[in-house]
Amino acid sequence: MKLKTFPAGIHPPDNKHWSAHLPVEDCSLPQELVVPLSQHIGAPAEVCVEKGDRVGKGQVVGNAKGFVSVPVHASTSGEVIAVEPRLHPTGRALPSVVISADGEDAWSEDLREADPDRLSPDEVRDRIRAAGIVGMGGATFPAHVKLSPPGEKPIDTLILNGVECEPYLTSDHRVMLEETEKVLEGAAILQRLLGAERICIGIEANKPDAIEVMEKACVDRDIEVVPLKVKYPQGAERQLILAITGREVPSGALPMEVGCVVQNVGTAAAIVDAVRHGRPLIERVATVTGTAVRQPKNLRVRIGTSLAHLTEQCGGLAKEPAKIIMGGPMMGQTQLSLEVPVVRGTSGLLLFAEGDVPLRPEGPCIRCGQCVRACPARIMPTTISAYARLDLYDEAEEFGALDCIECGCCTYVCPSTISLVQGIRTAKGAIMAKKRKL
Amino acid sequence: MIESVLSLGGIGLVAAVTLGLAARKFAVEVDPRELAILDVLSGANCGACGYPGCAAFAKAVSEGEASASLCTPGGSETIEKVAHIMGVDAKIQAPQVAVVLCQGDNVKAGSKYRYLGIEDCVAAQKIADGPKECPGGCLGMGTCSRVCPFDAIEMTEEGLAVISREKCTGCRKCVSACPRQVIKMTPLEATVHVLCNSHDKGGQVRKYCQIGCIACQICKKAAPEAYVIENFLATVDYDHYQQAGPAVDKCPTKCIRDFVDGYPEGSSFIPPAVPVKHDAA
């Protein structure tokens, strides 16, 4: 059978064999947790606790501010020892709630159980929002926003994203193997909420065990498991919709325009906890791997745990890390230190030693067109980046700078190692700033 | 022979008459003041006035939309001339120059990480607020020198922007281009400046920069009128810049500088030919 996929894209070595076979382990609870108030796309949460307050596990410490925002919760029970700016994965010091764990790890008493079948769609959405569920693939877009399509845009297809196209990462893979039933239950809740007729689970062919387990579990359910050809960035929303349904999301539009909603498999599992048990998103599965770590592992880790604690759980550092990446190597964020906390979008932690990351100086563009061929958004990265460097942002916009999904394919294939994505990102920032001004 | 001369000449004559008539009939009326203003402007098309080039500015002034004093690069002379053409009083401000309030180049100031991306301050600032450990210091990638229409900004080899006081016309392009707001407009007459832009506490500044302001108050003691210390950073109070001189030699970190004595290390700019004297009382 010919496997489905999307046009363009690249084939980086996936290096998933280091951790793909390892079952998820519980990461021990650290003494101190740093919970940033900004862990999602949209307005940061507003702090609602003070220094000295006692908090229960799952208690709200920051309220959502605006529609595109979600609350933030305490990841364990204990005492709030500070509310202050701390180093955030973005590299800035951002307001965070620092909690000293009391070791009891007792759930807050405010959490209410519920039967998902008896809740109205609005109640389900409210519970998802109150639990702070965001897209867990890494983009951290608040889930309730995606699940509130306006009436004139009916959703017919729900796609669960089990692609995990980023090299090295295996957290979604393990979730699919170990929490199959939970993922499928989450899919059922989402289906009822959206009224979608069709549910698909997209999984890349490099995870044959996950495909097999999912297919077996879906035998008597109306869910399609769609094996996909291995290619990066298949897990990107638009590319996944194109691969599975053949529909192309128009430029500047959202997936709901073509009747699709995409949710990560980890998000689906978290939604079950939120809707059934009222439990907020306070832990997630993250892959810790790379050449500088002793034992790569898949860990179930509390939000707010420092990256240093994660590496300790994995036998410590084998070598001095020269590059620390939160997330995957293609789209992840490089970190300034291991003191940064795990946030809701932390799908992995990659540690590389000096020399593992090849460094070549940037050369001139030789007009080879490799970036254009690789670009899944079908824009011309070299042209846009060149315009961005000359501050010609109007021209960059004309060439579709805003369609860039920042997947990094162009930079990866560029034989002159030009930082194309960075150029386009600068242009996007300038264009958006200009639009806000108008 | 004679036919060709006559026919070509005829065509020429008809064309000339048509063009002549068209030029009369479709003539575009231009305010003579607009042309006169365009004549006195420098023609650098720098955009400091906020209009796309000198022609657009001249049009705006003649239509009464813009004030003559917007042409800062032209200086008082140009502003006076434009005001004279328009028949209004010139509002002349003291000439200003831009100054980079930082001396922490790649040697003197530490960095948080190794930056390998595009050599552009705006792009670098987006990544964890820039590679420099100091939150306010010059990133040294030359974004300001690229936007300067007058070629007045040079980048030293150690990665620091230095602005020539002679070439700078005060157009403010660099001020708006700098992502860290380290370039400030100052009166040309004032030659003493505190070259630091970090609001961190002294101890922290010492950790990452050899030449930053540590807010030790010594300048304030040497010249109480001329300095203001706010948020752990000393700045010259430009209303009293004449009294700023005595603190220059007292500053323990050497971050107060008199540009009459020359430019920061590594710069090839020479001191102004006619030094502006400050009152060293």
Side-chain angles (χ1 to χ4, degrees):
Chain A
M1 192 184 91
K2 195 166 172 281
L3 296 174
K4 288 184 172 179
T5 189
F6 63 98
I10 53 166
H11 300 273
D14 74 3
N15 287 327
K16 289 181 190 271
H17 57 274
W18 291 355
S19 57
H21 58 287
L22 300 168
V24 176
E25 277 177 43
D26 281 327
C27 179
S28 70
L29 198 63
Q31 185 50 49
E32 188 186 279
L33 289 144
V34 179
V35 183
L37 290 163
S38 181
Q39 296 191 41
H40 48 265
I41 289 183
E46 221 169 10
V47 70
C48 62
V49 288
E50 279 173 13
K51 186 182 170 184
D53 285 359
R54 293 209 57 81
V55 289
K57 179 179 170 186
Q59 188 183 326
V60 176
V61 295
N63 286 315
K65 210 167 128 193
F67 180 61
V68 186
S69 181
V70 287
V72 172
H73 308 80
S75 310
T76 187
S77 58
E79 189 190 341
V80 176
I81 51 170
V83 179
E84 60 185 18
R86 288 285 185 105
L87 193 60
H88 185 269
T90 54
R92 303 186 169 98
L94 295 181
S96 309
V97 176
V98 186
I99 298 165
S100 167
D102 60 8
E104 283 169 28
D105 205 23
W107 280 102
S108 158
E109 284 156 16
D110 309 338
L111 311 177
R112 298 272 170 274
E113 300 265 331
D115 181 0
D117 298 329
R118 291 196 173 171
L119 295 169
S120 74
D122 277 338
E123 282 170 328
V124 173
R125 257 190 287 270
D126 285 346
R127 285 179 81 85
I128 289 174
R129 183 174 190 201
I133 308 284
V134 294
M136 286 164 76
T140 64
F141 191 75
H144 69 273
V145 181
K146 272 192 193 177
L147 300 175
S148 317
E152 72 272 14
K153 301 221 173 78
I155 302 297
D156 59 14
T157 311
L158 167 68
I159 299 174
L160 284 195
N161 187 348
V163 175
E164 200 159 56
C165 58
E166 278 269 11
Y168 293 93
L169 301 185
T170 54
S171 51
D172 289 349
H173 185 182
R174 293 315 302 182
V175 168
M176 286 192 283
L177 287 178
E178 295 173 32
E179 296 178 52
T180 319
E181 283 304 316
K182 206 163 162 189
V183 171
L184 296 176
E185 194 191 336
I189 293 174
L190 290 171
Q191 184 187 27
R192 242 185 339 239
L193 191 57
L194 294 164
E197 296 140 31
R198 185 176 171 211
I199 312 182
C200 303
I201 304 182
I203 306 173
E204 275 192 349
N206 59 359
K207 297 180 260 296
D209 48 348
I211 295 175
E212 200 191 315
V213 167
M214 276 293 172
E215 269 175 348
K216 224 178 255 172
C218 292
V219 167
D220 42 349
R221 283 186 171 99
D222 198 14
I223 298 177
E224 278 172 67
V225 177
V226 186
L228 299 162
K229 204 172 146 184
V230 180
K231 192 157 72 170
Y232 178 86
Q234 194 124 241
E237 203 166 50
R238 283 152 195 267
Q239 279 58 43
L240 184 59
I241 293 172
L242 184 58
I244 290 185
T245 65
R247 300 175 194 167
E248 196 165 354
V249 182
S251 164
L254 293 170
M256 59 176 77
E257 201 70 40
V258 294
C260 294
V261 164
V262 181
Q263 289 288 3
N264 181 273
V265 286
T267 317
I271 280 173
V272 176
D273 277 338
V275 175
R276 193 175 277 285
H277 307 295
R279 285 186 191 159
L281 181 54
I282 54 161
E283 59 180 16
R284 64 157 301 142
V285 179
T287 306
V288 184
T289 180
T291 51
V293 69
R294 246 178 250 281
Q295 284 175 301
K297 272 182 184 175
N298 294 301
L299 294 173
R300 185 176 306 281
V301 51
R302 293 289 167 85
I303 308 296
T305 311
S306 75
L307 300 184
H309 188 80
L310 248 65
T311 40
E312 270 165 40
Q313 287 281 303
C314 298
L317 294 166
K319 297 176 209 160
E320 189 57 33
K323 189 146 192 165
I324 307 164
I325 306 173
M326 182 180 281
M330 296 297 293
M331 288 189 73
Q333 271 176 316
T334 306
Q335 299 301 316
L336 295 177
S337 89
L338 286 171
E339 291 314 306
V340 173
V342 168
V343 289
R344 286 168 176 165
T346 307
S347 45
L349 168 63
L350 308 186
L351 297 151
F352 297 104
E354 191 74 54
D356 294 340
V357 191
L359 298 176
R360 274 191 295 146
E362 186 179 287
C365 174
I366 56 167
R367 323 291 298 165
C368 64
Q370 287 206 47
C371 56
V372 181
R373 226 167 302 149
C375 179
R378 304 197 217 174
I379 50 177
M380 302 207 287
T382 175
T383 312
I384 298 172
S385 179
Y387 275 134
R389 287 189 186 202
L390 295 169
D391 294 345
L392 297 172
Y393 298 125
D394 290 338
E395 284 80 354
E397 190 181 358
E398 229 167 87
F399 275 80
L402 294 181
D403 284 335
C404 173
I405 56 168
E406 300 179 17
C407 64
C409 289
C410 50
T411 309
Y412 183 83
V413 297
C414 181
S416 291
T417 53
I418 300 173
S419 309
L420 293 160
V421 181
Q422 201 195 2
I424 301 175
R425 203 182 277 169
T426 313
K428 279 172 85 176
I431 294 167
M432 296 310 284
K434 203 171 148 194
K435 289 207 163 160
R436 271 195 297 272
K437 240 191 234 173
L438 290 178
Chain B
M1 173 65 190
I2 192 93
E3 296 96 324
S4 44
V5 169
L6 283 178
S7 58
L8 270 178
I11 293 170
L13 199 67
V14 171
V17 170
T18 323
L19 280 173
L21 289 176
R24 289 258 166 115
K25 184 147 171 53
F26 302 114
V28 180
E29 271 192 44
V30 183
D31 190 336
R33 292 181 302 178
E34 185 184 329
L35 295 175
I37 292 170
L38 191 55
D39 227 28
V40 298
L41 293 176
S42 69
N45 293 321
C46 65
C49 51
Y51 290 89
C54 295
F57 176 63
K59 188 160 186 266
V61 175
S62 67
E63 285 168 2
E65 276 178 27
S67 146
S69 55
L70 284 177
C71 183
T72 42
S76 55
E77 206 179 317
T78 308
I79 295 172
E80 257 167 31
K81 278 185 193 163
V82 174
H84 179 72
I85 294 167
M86 290 303 291
V88 294
D89 284 335
K91 279 181 216 132
I92 296 167
Q93 289 168 334
Q96 290 196 312
V97 284
V99 176
V100 178
L101 297 183
C102 178
Q103 295 188 89
D105 52 27
N106 297 337
V107 181
K108 296 201 186 76
S111 47
K112 318 188 252 213
Y113 61 88
R114 193 160 29 150
Y115 179 70
L116 300 165
I118 300 174
E119 278 285 304
D120 179 85
C121 306
V122 179
Q125 177 69 10
K126 279 196 175 4
I127 298 169
D129 285 342
K132 211 156 230 169
E133 223 169 307
C134 171
C138 172
L139 290 176
M141 291 174 201
T143 300
C144 52
S145 82
R146 283 191 290 274
V147 300
C148 179
F150 302 98
D151 206 15
I153 308 180
E154 64 159 11
M155 304 305 301
T156 66
E157 264 173 42
E158 290 81 30
L160 183 74
V162 180
I163 301 177
S164 160
R165 299 175 70 80
E166 283 191 301
K167 291 184 182 171
C168 176
T169 63
C171 77
R172 295 165 188 263
K173 280 217 144 177
C174 51
V175 176
S176 46
C178 177
R180 301 191 122 193
Q181 288 88 42
V182 62
I183 307 180
K184 298 261 155 64
M185 297 306 297
T186 60
L188 177 63
E189 299 269 303
T191 57
V192 177
H193 304 286
V194 181
L195 299 186
C196 181
N197 191 37
S198 168
H199 285 286
D200 283 334
K201 285 185 185 163
Q204 210 166 345
V205 172
R206 269 199 195 279
K207 271 185 207 151
Y208 55 65
C209 186
Q210 299 167 17
I211 200 158
C213 172
I214 52 172
C216 61
Q217 316 270 342
I218 290 177
C219 54
K220 184 105 182 135
K221 273 173 208 145
E225 287 278 288
Y227 293 92
V228 188
I229 298 178
E230 245 174 34
N231 267 334
F232 311 103
L233 177 64
T235 41
V236 175
D237 178 355
Y238 290 107
D239 293 335
H240 304 280
Y241 65 83
Q242 294 92 339
Q243 284 118 42
V248 176
D249 296 329
K250 300 251 168 69
C251 176
T253 58
K254 301 269 170 280
C255 80
I256 302 180
R257 242 196 129 80
D258 190 341
F259 276 80
V260 170
D261 308 336
Y263 282 81
E265 252 169 83
S267 164
S268 61
F269 285 140
I270 43 157
V274 187
V276 189
K277 284 231 170 91
H278 62 77
D279 190 21

